[in-house]
Amino acid sequence: MPRLELPPEEMMTPAQKDACAEAIAGIRGRVPAPMIAWLQNPEFARRGQKLGELLRYQTTLEPRLSELAILVCARHWTSHHEWTAHKREGLKAGMDPEVIAAIAARRAPPLRDAREQAVYEVSRTVLSTGRVPQALSAQGLAVLAERRMLALVGILGYYCMVALTLNTFELGLPGSIALELEDPDAAALT
């Protein structure tokens, strides 16, 4: 069960109400799950959700590549709610279900092109080591160019913050439990 709930509107401060109204009026049209926790500091909530809008909806990475990076991040942190939401978005963006299942099972996915390979390898490497070796950086820059590499790093950083928020406060649970993250054999069934 979530450790925090979205407060009823009548219990919110004016700053919390304003932050929620801004999120609802934005691209998402709703209050995103991590914002439930972020509302403890309404300015954090405002800025965090605006950064999320930029990195998710106004990024230079096409949705399929962005969702690939987010799923690698969600798997890294075993963030069930993030995984569940972005598995759905990844499928809508044209991701191969076999790629998603492989990421869930922590196996190398069957990627279709050099851009997917670069996004996957950079994401996996920076999440596991905190660094990107020169050769991988050069590969990523050659395939994605500087602006998309920056977008990729920004997406990963933001979704790490989202995953840690969701996991710490158990937001979206139990409704978003992703069985394939708990049982690698279940990934083949989804």
Side-chain angles (χ1 to χ4, degrees), residues 31-145:
V31 173
M35 199 169 154
I36 294 168
W38 299 346
L39 277 171
Q40 299 305 309
N41 178 336
E43 190 60 24
F44 183 102
R46 279 187 60 255
R47 293 180 189 214
Q49 81 85 19
K50 289 300 274 184
L51 180 60
E53 281 185 349
L54 173 70
L55 294 171
R56 175 142 182 241
Y57 299 104
Q58 299 165 328
T59 179
T60 55
L61 284 178
E62 66 189 74
R64 176 176 55 94
L65 298 176
S66 179
E67 295 301 329
L68 172 60
I70 296 167
L71 286 173
V72 172
C73 184
R75 178 65 236 166
H76 175 80
W77 295 109
T78 310
S79 180
H80 289 267
H81 189 66
E82 187 172 74
W83 177 269
T84 300
H86 290 281
K87 175 182 175 181
R88 180 178 56 250
E89 293 302 313
L91 291 169
K92 280 199 279 188
M95 284 186 71
D96 182 338
E98 289 182 36
V99 169
I100 295 170
I103 293 168
R106 298 186 193 272
R107 293 189 320 264
L111 301 167
R112 67 175 90 162
D113 60 37
R115 291 183 323 143
E116 281 189 359
Q117 190 68 41
V119 167
Y120 174 76
E121 289 299 334
V122 168
S123 298
R124 184 184 63 79
T125 301
V126 77
L127 288 169
S128 63
T129 69
R131 302 261 187 272
V132 177
Q134 179 58 40
L136 180 54
S137 177
Q139 175 194 354
L141 288 168
V143 174
L144 299 172

